[in-house]
Amino acid sequence: MNSVGEACTDMKREYDQCFNRWFAEKFLKGEGSGDPCTDLFKRYQQCVQKAIKEKEIPIEGLEFMGHGKEKPENSS
Amino acid sequence: MGRAQRRGGQRGASWTPHFLHLLFHSHPWDTVIKAAMRKYPNPMNPSVVGVDVLERAVDCRGRLHSLRLLSTEWGLPGLVTTILGTSRTLTYIKERSVVDPLEKKMELCSTNITLRNLVSVNERLVYAPHPEHPEKTVLTQEAVISVEGTGLGRYLESLMASTISSNARKGWAAIEWVIQHSDSTVS
């Protein structure tokens, strides 16, 4: 699978491999406290944010827990 | 595999499903969720040409939140792209998901972030263990289409309406395909 930024595809695949392994072997088994993919994610993110700006993709105004806004409780 | 229904509803601030699908996977929840995380690429969804994770974090209750950007190439008819005045046929979808490993529930919400001046397609998927058969998984999939204006918007609505139902089944088939084709090393 490709990234929205052509230059980011290799980083994306490396991150995805790390994440999918952690997700299946740790997170789903209730051991999700650590995150071995942080560095990979940071590098990948920098590339993607640049690509989004260059392609003028309208994804501004991210409302996400990582941006300091508390996610509301899911109603269901 | 499941059942589907279509009903009308008010547009506006309240969530009113226009399309509702109830689908079943004969696999346990963990297996389905692992496949859902690795859904793309798959042969049933060739229009998804790019997937990126924009944000991801675990909250204080141990739930994994993700925000993803999907790039889709619908191959819009030439007439449509002429009217839209663009040669760009890539559209983008924003997808949020929450995975609760304790409650065994995965919820995904997606909406298009391009073409919004014409149409918005909001979808919500919830994966949970079958209440009576824990070796199976239930998928509840809802979609709401909201159209702005008339003309091209109406055309896009009818185009999307005819594909939403088949896409729900394609999505189901995509998960089944990922499950069948996953090997022991997760990638």
Side-chain angles (χ1 to χ4, degrees):
Chain A
M1 194 77 259
N2 293 330
S3 167
V4 67
E6 293 79 13
C8 314
T9 294
D10 285 346
M11 280 181 247
K12 170 199 140 61
R13 287 182 188 165
E14 222 183 320
Y15 166 72
D16 280 349
Q17 249 188 335
C18 179
F19 168 77
N20 286 326
R21 189 175 295 117
W22 171 83
F23 184 75
E25 295 171 10
K26 299 284 181 188
F27 179 76
L28 286 184
K29 295 181 180 171
E31 300 161 27
S33 51
D35 183 1
C37 313
T38 315
D39 289 345
L40 285 172
F41 189 61
K42 272 189 193 133
R43 273 199 319 138
Y44 163 47
Q45 277 307 289
Q46 280 166 1
C47 185
V48 166
Q49 295 297 337
K50 189 160 168 279
I52 285 172
K53 276 203 184 80
E54 280 168 6
K55 292 176 189 254
E56 297 180 341
I57 297 170
I59 191 88
E60 68 281 320
L62 291 177
E63 295 157 19
F64 194 82
M65 51 188 298
H67 288 251
K69 287 192 183 182
E70 196 55 42
K71 288 268 308 170
E73 190 85 354
N74 281 340
S75 57
S76 54
Chain B
M1 188 179 78
R3 49 182 196 270
Q5 71 180 97
R6 178 182 180 170
R7 56 179 195 266
Q10 327 171 343
R11 296 199 176 117
S14 59
W15 174 266
T16 306
H18 285 234
F19 301 90
L20 180 65
H21 294 88
L22 197 62
L23 298 155
F24 303 93
H25 288 282
S26 297
H27 301 281
W29 184 83
D30 279 42
T31 302
V32 173
I33 293 328
K34 280 186 261 188
M37 280 304 195
R38 295 177 290 124
K39 191 175 178 184
Y40 306 106
N42 70 75
M44 290 78 184
N45 298 119
S47 60
V48 178
V49 299
V51 179
D52 282 292
V53 182
L54 302 186
E55 289 284 355
R56 184 166 266 157
V58 178
D59 68 17
C60 57
R61 286 168 48 182
R63 302 179 304 178
L64 179 72
H65 296 252
S66 305
L67 175 64
R68 300 203 306 177
L69 176 71
L70 274 60
S71 310
T72 61
E73 176 57 78
W74 290 107
L76 290 171
L79 177 62
V80 175
T81 55
T82 301
I83 293 171
L84 288 174
T86 177
S87 56
R88 281 173 46 165
T89 52
L90 271 179
T91 58
Y92 295 102
I93 292 166
K94 181 173 73 176
E95 177 209 84
R96 297 179 194 281
S97 63
V98 184
V99 183
D100 189 332
L102 293 176
E103 199 189 320
K104 288 196 191 294
K105 183 177 161 194
M106 177 175 188
E107 182 171 339
L108 300 97
C109 292
S110 68
T111 186
N112 57 302
I113 57 172
T114 49
L115 300 182
R116 285 196 70 82
N117 56 321
L118 290 171
V119 62
S120 71
V121 180
N122 297 294
E123 284 199 296
R124 179 169 173 252
L125 285 72
V126 181
Y127 290 99
H130 193 294
E132 282 141 29
H133 304 284
E135 71 281 8
K136 295 184 183 179
T137 302
V138 178
L139 164 62
T140 310
Q141 185 162 355
E142 304 165 84
V144 180
I145 304 175
S146 300
V147 175
E148 304 295 324
T150 59
L152 183 59
R154 292 262 172 238
Y155 168 76
L156 286 174
E157 180 188 24
S158 65
L159 188 70
M160 283 171 175
S162 68
T163 58
I164 285 233
S165 288
S166 68
N167 278 352
R169 281 162 177 76
K170 277 185 200 167
W172 175 89
I175 295 295
E176 291 287 321
W177 183 90
V178 172
I179 291 170
Q180 296 306 324
H181 288 80
S182 64
D183 43 44
S184 55
T185 54
V186 178
S187 64

